Amino acid sequence: MIKRLMLAAVVAISGASVANAHITLEQSQGTSGKAYKAVLRVGHGCEGKATIKIRVKVPEGLLSAKPMPKSGWTVEKVNATYEMSYDLYGKPVKEGVSEIVWSGGSLADDEYDEFVFRATVAKELPLGTRIFVPVVQECTDGAVERWIEVPAAGKNSDDYETPAPYFEVVAQPRS
Amino acid sequence: MWSKMPKWANFIFSIRAAGLLLVLAALGILPPAGAQAHAVLRSSSPASNETLDQPPSRVELHFNEVVRLVSASVTDSTGARTDVQGDTAGSAVVLNFPGSIARGTIIVSYRVASEDGHPVGGSVVFHIGTYTATASEVPQGLASPLMIAIWLVHAGSIVLLAVVVGGAFFARLLEARTPPPSRQDLSASLAVLLLTTNVYLQGLDEIGGELRFAGIQPFLAASHSGSAIAASLALFSIVLVAMPIKGRMTSLAATVLAMIAASVSFTFTGHCNAVEPRWLARTCMFLHSGVMIFWIGSLIPLWRVSEKQAHTGPLLGFSRAIPLPFAGMLLAGGALAWIELPALDTVMLSIYGRVLLLKILLVSLLCLLALYNRFWLTQPALAGSQTAMWRLRRSVTAEMVLAVAIVASASLWRFAGPDQLEFATAAPPLSIHLHSETAMAQLELQVQSDGTSTARVSVITLDFETLEPRTVLLRVKNPRAGVEPIKYDLLRSPDGAWETRGLPISNPDGWEADVQILIDDFTTAHLQGELSPTADTSVTRRTADAGS
């Protein structure tokens, strides 16, 4: 019975997500102190033009980010120093991948694809924080869509035309 | 195990399961499942900021995905808002454009829902008519060749109409020696030519454009407006006086009819055509222009009769006849100015007011001359004084110059109506300070005489240092007036500020601005605020305090 319910719930959630036209993250929650698999879903190009580059800003608090290689695309990593030092499995980390770029491929406007990276959610991030992952989508003819809007206080992503995808930091389940 | 449970317990469990399923499904739809789809306007017809000659019959909106029209409205340049209906076919929405709409800047606001039911609003701004080509540029000294041509031809045709029709009336009424027929024909032909050119230029201005030959199109455009009726009446009056009619009474009747036709022609053009109460404005205009025609028309014959002693009859007649109509002309003119100009303290701020002051000055000079003629020169001239005759001649010449100057100054009203007053008074730019957590901006809004605004944005950091944003976007909306956000890409000006023009804002009340700056590739800042002038609100508040 529980299994059936869970299955139904999954269907309901994924069904509701089909209509998403923005670049969004598949997982809406990431566990504090654990690895988070960020699956960026790209549902369309820039106003009809094919996508040729995806640039992702790895936000503060996502540690040791690793992109998943993608056939037909070149992946690039940019390192930078973090704003603060984080504790990762007992070791302090101060720098890491801050930007991931997939380029060289081509994704038509009427096609769908996913771009994946994995990173650890820093324990220092307060529970309930929404982590925004800004994405710049570059297309042919110099067209650009910037999914980088981070809502100001009192606003939410729906108030913006091009919101940044996000997930929420949740506590580890008690075992 | 379940089979051992009573049936009612099983039933309750099913209800709980269904409830849980509903809650889960709801969670799947609500955030944080991710941002939902937003429809984006890809193109529209008419396009944004396009200028059209005629109102469109429909407005097409093309979105990036399938949408459903929630609501739409059209706001015209007077601020009147009309809700409009439309049809949706896939990602296109076709709105029915209202039939009667004021010319000028139009805002079409829409709200559409995309597949997921999330509504998105936006606006498209375009212009009907050539508002930029009519009036706004002349006051700034940017007179185009077309404007100058319209002004010259307009003033010239009025003067010639008055000379031909008024002159004939003077001659037949006071039995003066009629001017040689050849010259009468010449001035009549010239008047016809000027009137026709006037209508042509008027039409050229209406279809929008520069001084050029545009075939028959300008005539067709002008034929829909009052200027065609005015020109027809004026031509009719000229034809009437140019006809060789025998018999004193018949010819006098024809000239009176011509005078009436010519005077009526003035009531079909100009600003008196649009002000209320219309009957009063038109009556005043009729009287004002009628006397003006008679007075200007009499100047040449008077000049001629003051040449020789033998023809003093008309001078005596004119001298006796003119005071009453002249006073009437001044009264009617004063009434017109009073009707059209609402507040005296703002006279100097508008082009209309300045032209009015110039005209009053010229008319005052004219009145002084007229008084001098009437009370100092006429009697001695009639008595046979050569000096008085000579002075009268000089004085009449001066009157002719003044007459042309008065007509020329009044013709400037063609470019500056009294309705421009409200834009002229808004001359100081509106300055609004905006700030967010990352940046500050100074937004300056300058209302132009055509009723649209230009916007200038200077961006600085919170530490008052210069910020070099990658791009700056301005969104303006007016929720109270039902205007959905209108988006403008600001362009960088040489002095480092970001600018755009053509905002459909003549009165900042109720408008809200959102300046979106792209600081770097991954960071934007939104600076938001209201445009309503703080000075005005403080004044209102002070008045309210004083009252209480």
Side-chain angles (χ1 to χ4, degrees):
Chain A
M1 182 67 189
I2 299 296
K3 250 187 184 176
R4 267 165 59 199
L5 272 178
M6 289 302 283
L7 201 66
V10 167
V11 167
I13 290 166
S14 53
S17 306
V18 167
N20 284 351
H22 293 160
I23 291 189
T24 52
L25 282 166
E26 191 178 66
Q27 300 298 322
S28 61
Q29 293 184 331
T31 310
S32 177
K34 295 276 181 188
Y36 173 77
K37 184 186 173 197
V39 181
L40 289 161
R41 301 180 295 192
V42 179
H44 61 83
C46 322
E47 299 194 352
K49 297 187 175 91
T51 307
I52 53 170
K53 195 189 255 188
I54 293 284
R55 296 170 58 193
V56 180
K57 170 95 178 162
V58 179
E60 186 74 15
L62 283 192
L63 313 173
S64 53
K66 283 184 177 179
M68 189 159 103
K70 194 166 178 60
S71 145
W73 296 76
T74 315
V75 64
E76 242 180 279
K77 289 145 279 182
V78 180
N79 268 312
T81 315
Y82 298 142
E83 281 171 27
M84 54 178 276
S85 177
Y86 296 93
D87 176 76
L88 185 65
Y89 305 116
K91 282 182 197 164
V93 285
K94 283 183 178 165
E95 57 154 40
V97 173
S98 68
E99 194 182 326
I100 300 168
V101 184
W102 282 275
S103 60
S106 180
L107 175 63
D109 181 52
D110 57 358
E111 286 171 1
Y112 168 86
D113 206 348
E114 295 175 341
F115 294 80
V116 183
F117 69 93
R118 182 181 175 279
T120 304
V121 180
K123 281 188 301 218
E124 287 84 350
L125 293 174
L127 296 179
T129 312
R130 281 189 178 179
I131 304 296
F132 291 88
V133 183
V135 178
V136 175
Q137 179 179 19
E138 293 185 19
C139 300
T140 50
D141 302 329
V144 178
E145 290 276 12
R146 292 176 195 276
W147 307 97
I148 63 172
E149 300 267 29
V150 176
K155 303 241 175 196
N156 67 55
S157 292
D158 284 347
D159 295 328
Y160 298 88
E161 276 175 37
T162 53
Y166 65 90
F167 66 91
E168 201 172 295
V169 178
V170 295
Q172 287 189 41
R174 298 246 170 92
S175 50
Chain B
M1 184 178 85
W2 284 19
S3 57
K4 284 179 188 170
M5 285 172 78
K7 268 205 169 159
W8 58 267
N10 201 346
F11 177 69
I12 284 178
F13 191 82
S14 312
I15 288 179
R16 279 177 60 189
L20 189 62
L21 188 69
L22 270 175
V23 168
L24 281 169
L27 282 175
I29 294 160
L30 295 169
Q36 305 293 309
H38 292 243
V40 178
L41 183 72
R42 270 194 186 160
S43 65
S44 68
S45 166
S48 242
N49 235 3
E50 194 177 336
T51 302
L52 309 171
D53 299 335
Q54 297 294 323
S57 58
R58 57 191 210 156
V59 175
E60 285 176 34
L61 307 169
H62 299 278
F63 294 89
N64 66 325
E65 58 186 43
V66 175
V67 292
R68 177 175 59 83
L69 180 66
V70 179
S71 65
S73 67
V74 173
T75 310
D76 68 13
S77 53
T78 65
R81 181 178 156 209
T82 319
D83 287 323
V84 293
Q85 303 296 316
D87 297 315
T88 320
S91 60
V93 172
V94 178
L95 302 173
N96 305 319
F97 199 75
S100 59
I101 196 103
R103 287 163 74 86
T105 300
I106 305 289
I107 307 169
V108 175
S109 279
Y110 58 82
R111 275 193 92 70
V112 294
S114 42
E115 275 176 317
D116 61 348
H118 187 115
V120 196
S123 297
V124 175
V125 179
F126 55 92
H127 316 280
I128 300 173
T130 55
Y131 71 99
T132 42
T134 51
S136 58
E137 293 179 3
V138 168
Q140 275 84 41
L142 296 163
S144 72
L146 177 63
M147 297 301 122
I148 295 169
I150 287 177
W151 178 58
L152 288 177
V153 171
H154 192 238
S157 53
I158 290 176
V159 169
L160 255 176
L161 178 71
V163 164
V164 172
V165 179
F169 182 63
F170 180 93
R172 284 174 191 168
L173 183 73
L174 301 169
E175 284 193 282
R177 186 185 59 178
T178 45
S182 62
R183 211 177 294 174
Q184 174 88 0
D185 286 353
L186 182 73
S187 38
S189 321
L190 197 57
V192 169
L193 186 70
L194 277 173
L195 281 166
T196 320
T197 316
N198 194 18
V199 173
Y200 192 83
L201 293 175
Q202 195 77 31
L204 201 56
D205 190 23
E206 264 177 48
I207 59 172
E210 290 155 12
L211 190 57
R212 64 179 202 278
F213 180 70
I216 195 148
Q217 214 193 339
F219 279 124
L220 296 176
S223 68
H224 299 296
S225 67
S227 54
I229 305 173
S232 318
L233 280 167
L235 285 174
F236 171 67
S237 68
I238 287 172
V239 169
L240 261 184
V241 297
M243 278 198 303
I245 298 169
K246 292 263 181 334
R248 186 178 177 245
M249 286 318 285
T250 326
S251 63
L252 186 62
T255 351
V256 169
L257 189 62
M259 280 289 284
I260 292 171
S263 310
V264 169
S265 78
F266 282 86
T267 67
F268 280 97
T269 57
H271 308 296
C272 73
N273 218 11
V275 295
E276 296 293 342
R278 200 169 285 194
W279 65 268
L280 181 61
R282 287 196 161 170
T283 310
C284 288
M285 195 64 204
F286 175 77
L287 289 172
H288 192 68
S289 49
V291 180
M292 184 272 292
I293 292 169
F294 173 55
W295 163 65
I296 293 181
S298 62
L299 289 177
I300 293 176
L302 275 180
W303 187 78
R304 197 171 283 130
V305 295
S306 56
E307 218 173 2
K308 282 177 193 162
Q309 197 80 41
H311 300 285
T312 47
L315 179 60
L316 184 64
F318 181 79
S319 177
R320 281 179 185 156
I322 197 67
L324 195 64
F326 199 80
M329 173 166 76
L330 292 184
L331 266 177
L336 273 176
W338 181 73
I339 294 169
E340 294 191 37
L341 205 65
L344 278 176
D345 54 337
T346 52
V347 161
M348 276 312 284
L349 292 171
S350 69
I351 304 292
Y352 175 83
R354 285 178 213 163
V355 170
L356 181 67
L357 283 189
L358 174 67
K359 205 186 155 192
I360 287 173
L361 181 77
L362 292 170
V363 170
S364 309
L365 280 176
L366 178 76
C367 288
L368 288 177
L369 268 182
L371 287 174
Y372 175 61
N373 292 350
R374 177 81 163 78
F375 295 107
W376 277 271
L377 298 180
T378 310
Q379 283 305 328
L382 287 171
S385 160
Q386 280 301 318
T387 330
M389 285 295 265
W390 180 75
R391 280 186 184 156
L392 194 62
R393 221 169 134 80
R394 287 264 301 261
S395 170
V396 170
T397 314
E399 276 194 57
M400 285 182 203
V401 174
L402 274 174
V404 173
I406 289 169
V407 171
S409 67
S411 295
L412 283 176
W413 275 329
R414 161 71 175 72
F415 310 105
D419 52 341
Q420 283 182 332
L421 186 68
E422 68 172 290
F423 306 131
T425 49
L430 188 64
S431 191
I432 304 113
H433 179 77
L434 304 166
H435 63 267
S436 75
E437 289 157 11
T438 43
M440 298 196 288
Q442 201 67 25
L443 169 63
E444 267 188 14
L445 205 70
Q446 173 81 64
V447 180
Q448 304 294 311
S449 52
D450 58 30
T452 64
S453 296
T454 56
R456 261 175 74 87
V457 176
S458 327
V459 189
I460 48 170
T461 66
L462 294 182
D463 305 321
F464 297 95
E465 277 162 26
T466 48
L467 188 71
E468 301 283 327
R470 306 257 320 248
T471 60
V472 178
L473 268 177
L474 172 67
R475 287 185 186 82
V476 288
K477 61 175 179 177
N478 192 336
R480 267 192 273 154
V483 175
E484 299 283 351
I486 313 168
K487 194 161 81 176
Y488 293 92
D489 284 310
L490 303 197
L491 293 176
R492 200 178 178 126
S493 72
D495 64 355
W498 296 76
E499 297 177 326
T500 189
R501 49 184 301 155
L503 272 66
I505 300 174
S506 55
N507 173 9
D509 274 354
W511 286 89
E512 293 169 19
D514 172 9
V515 176
Q516 183 187 346
I517 55 174
L518 183 65
I519 299 171
D520 63 47
D521 262 344
F522 293 104
T523 322
T524 54
H526 284 268
L527 306 148
Q528 290 167 323
E530 287 183 17
L531 295 184
S532 51
T534 45
D536 270 9
T537 43
S538 65
V539 167
T540 325
R541 212 171 293 133
R542 221 176 292 138
T543 333
D545 288 346
S548 64

